[in-house]
Structure formats: structure tokens, C-alpha cells
Amino acid sequence: MANSKSKILTRNQWLFVLFIFITLVLSGYYLLYSPNNYHLDEPLVFEIKSGESFQSVTDRLSSLGIVPNKTVFRIAAFVYGAETKIKAARFRIENGLSYLDLLDLLIYGPADYLRSIRVNDGQTIKWLAGKVRRDLRMDSTAFYQKAHDKEFISSLGLNVPSLEGYLFSKSYQIYERSDPEEVLKIFYEALKQFWTDTLQQRADSIKLSMHQVLTLASIIKGETNEIDEMPRISGVYHNRLRKGMKLQADPTVQYLMKDGWKRLTYQDLTIDSPYNTYRYFGLPPAPINNPGANAIMAALYPEKHDYFFFVADGKGRHKFAKNYSEHLRNVREYRKWLSQQK
């Protein structure tokens, strides 16, 4: 009986235990719910990258002064079950958030999430503006205007009328509601990475600037979707340029159509514009779309042949001719095919 009595806490001991317990609870509450203030521009834009560990996120938040005590933050995350719940996104962190408020933001948002978007081969800035509106929730007008902003274009080291032709065709992962400048820089940077010293040397060897290569590539892409045909079509245009002939490329006239592509009339071919290669010699002033890698490589490495003409065959490809009389026969066959479709 004496041993059992000795294990019973006295009233003062119980009060002491209760005091410690209340102190811990109040301290925890204070640490977890008290606002944490930082000394940066508000709200702070913070990105969590895909696959980034919670430890890395914690370290970066701490280095920015958002999380004063990493240990307390990790404890809060453990209790909250947050370590595996945070998502890759771009967050706007308001000043004065507690640890738990911050964790709630990182788990449930609101935030701008990474979205997939593709610049398609031959897509124009006008059409791309509609795509960034749908896929990235971006102001399409602001995007279009920025792609034609001379000051912004100059900041990229370019002296061109617009970024048409300079937005590389590939798939991207980009945050929703990103600034047009940021997105355009991403698209252009991809072209810079593609355009290696080897390609520049090749362009120099055929006496074309990068701008001219992109312009020719955009016409090639405007003519065909068939990758294996691109070098042959490129060869036709190289032959015509070398001979001093007009390119007479339909896509350059289509580029001038306000309502989009259509079957061209003879009247359309008389439009007075430097982009109309039926009226003006040489390449147009700038690209007419954003060509992909295949069209660019075709412009740089044309097929060597004696063709100077080509026309659609009605099956998605083209028939090529070495002289005008042969070309006229191909044209008659195409028109016959068209009449049969009616």
C-alpha cells in the first residue's frame, strides 16, 4: 500500500503538470497561428516547381524570410499532413500569414498552375494569341500587342517588325496568367537554343541571314504539311531566287487575307504589298508564320534539283515541273480534279 500511495501526484504536482501543459498549448498556438511578416514587395510571387521536395520549398521560404523558423514550419506541415500535398504552382503570398495559413495556401490555393501549351508548326501570332487565352488564361490582345511592340522586340536584341517567325514550335509548360513578355521570351528562347552555331554557319554559306531563313521556312510551311516534301519545295524557291524569278508563293498572299485562308482569285494576286510575291521579287519583308524545325532545316538544306514550279495534286501533295509548259500541264490536271470534286 505504501508503494502505491507514493506514485500518486500531490495537488501541487498536478498543478505544475497542468501549467506545463497549458504553457505548451499556448506556445504552440502562438507559434502556429501568429502572423509572420516579411520585408519584400507584396504580395510575394513564389513558384513551386514540379517534383520539388518539401525540404527545398521550406529552405527557399526561409531564405526569403517568409518562414522565420524552419523547424516549427516542418512540425506544422507534419501535423497538417502537408509534406505530400503541396502542388507545383505559382503562388502570391500575402504578408502576415501564419504557418498554418501559409500551408493552407500551398495546398488549396488560389494559385496559377502549370499548363501545357504547344506552338504549332506554321501558327501565326494571331492564332497563337487565341491559344494563350484558352490555355493560359492570358489577355490575347495584350499578347498580340506585345509581340509587335518595337521596344520589347528591341530588348530581345532583334530589329524586326514583329516576333512572327521567332516563336519556336514545340510544347511548353507555362504558368497560367503569366505576363505576355514572360511567355514570348520563353518561346523566343527556344528558337535561340535551336539555332546553333552550326546552323548559323550553314546560313552564312548559302548567303542568307537568320531572318531570311525563317522567312523562307515560313513560306515552305505555308505550302505543305508533308515533311518529306519540304526540302523539295525549298529547292524550288532557292532555284527561283538564284535565277532572279519571282517566288509567286500563294502563302504570302494568303497572309494578307483579313478573314483567313481561302481559295485565291486572280484579283487577290494583284494586291499591292511587299508580302505579295506575285508582284515583288525576292523574299517578303518578314516571316508569315512561326515555322517549326522541319521547315527551318528544309530552308537551310534544300533538295538539289532542276524544278522551278509546283502545284497541288489534289491529294495533299504536289507535282513538280522543270519548265513552264510542263507546269501548265500539271495545273490543267489539278483544275480538272477540282471540277470533278464539284
Side-chain angles (χ1 to χ4, degrees), residues 2-194:
N3 289 337
S4 63
K5 287 183 178 180
S6 64
K7 294 180 181 179
I8 298 175
L9 296 176
T10 65
R11 180 174 178 276
N12 289 339
Q13 289 173 326
W14 275 113
L15 290 174
F16 179 74
V17 170
L18 182 60
F19 172 77
I20 294 298
F21 175 76
I22 293 174
T23 300
L24 290 173
V25 170
L26 292 176
S27 298
Y29 183 88
Y30 175 79
L31 289 172
L32 296 178
Y33 287 95
S34 293
N36 297 310
N37 295 298
Y38 57 79
H39 304 287
L40 300 167
D41 292 337
E42 304 176 40
L44 179 76
V45 177
F46 184 80
E47 295 178 6
I48 296 180
K49 300 174 175 59
S50 180
E52 186 175 9
S53 68
F54 185 79
Q55 180 65 51
S56 172
V57 172
T58 301
D59 290 341
R60 291 198 295 118
L61 287 170
S62 176
S63 68
L64 292 169
I66 309 301
V67 170
N69 190 308
K70 291 193 289 185
T71 301
V72 174
F73 186 65
R74 283 196 292 266
I75 292 172
F78 176 77
V79 173
Y80 213 75
E83 292 178 305
T84 59
K85 293 180 180 179
I86 59 172
K87 300 174 182 177
R90 176 181 286 169
F91 299 87
R92 288 168 177 81
I93 302 177
E94 302 287 345
N95 210 344
L97 294 183
S98 69
Y99 288 117
L100 293 183
D101 288 336
L102 178 56
L103 288 169
D104 188 70
L105 171 67
L106 299 182
I107 295 173
Y108 301 110
D112 296 332
Y113 294 96
L114 281 171
R115 300 294 183 190
S116 295
I117 184 170
R118 179 171 181 82
V119 178
N120 292 328
D121 293 0
Q123 196 160 37
T124 64
I125 290 175
K126 179 180 178 180
W127 284 100
L128 188 55
K131 179 173 282 190
V132 297
R133 183 187 69 247
R134 294 189 304 270
D135 296 352
L136 301 181
R137 302 180 184 179
M138 182 185 298
D139 185 329
S140 58
T141 300
F143 178 86
Y144 182 86
Q145 291 175 343
K146 186 59 65 173
H148 292 78
D149 186 302
K150 292 183 179 180
E151 185 176 344
F152 171 64
I153 294 171
S154 178
S155 73
L156 299 177
L158 296 172
N159 182 23
V160 293
S162 78
L163 290 179
E164 194 83 83
Y166 289 81
L167 308 180
F168 193 59
S169 172
K170 61 174 284 190
S171 294
Y172 299 86
Q173 292 285 314
I174 298 177
Y175 288 104
E176 299 170 314
R177 287 178 281 268
S178 295
D179 292 332
E181 285 190 15
E182 179 184 2
V183 176
L184 288 166
K185 284 179 180 178
I186 291 172
F187 294 161
Y188 173 55
E189 189 62 33
L191 175 66
K192 288 173 61 179
Q193 292 177 5
F194 171 79

Side-chain angles (χ1 to χ4, degrees), residues 239-253:
N239 288 344
R240 294 178 76 92
L241 288 170
R242 188 165 53 252
K243 288 287 186 178
M245 300 170 65
K246 293 176 183 176
L247 294 185
Q248 296 183 319
D250 286 1
T252 64
V253 182

Side-chain angles (χ1 to χ4, degrees), residues 275-293:
Y275 282 92
N276 185 354
T277 54
Y278 278 86
R279 290 197 60 167
Y280 292 89
F281 288 92
L283 291 165
I288 58 174
N289 58 51
N290 293 286

Side-chain angles (χ1 to χ4, degrees), residues 200 202-210 212-213 216 238 241 283 299:
Q200 182 60 57
R202 172 60 183 173
D204 294 339
S205 72
I206 59 176
K207 296 180 172 56
L208 292 178
S209 67
M210 179 185 184
Q212 290 172 319
V213 170
L216 179 55
H238 276 275
L241 288 170
L283 291 165

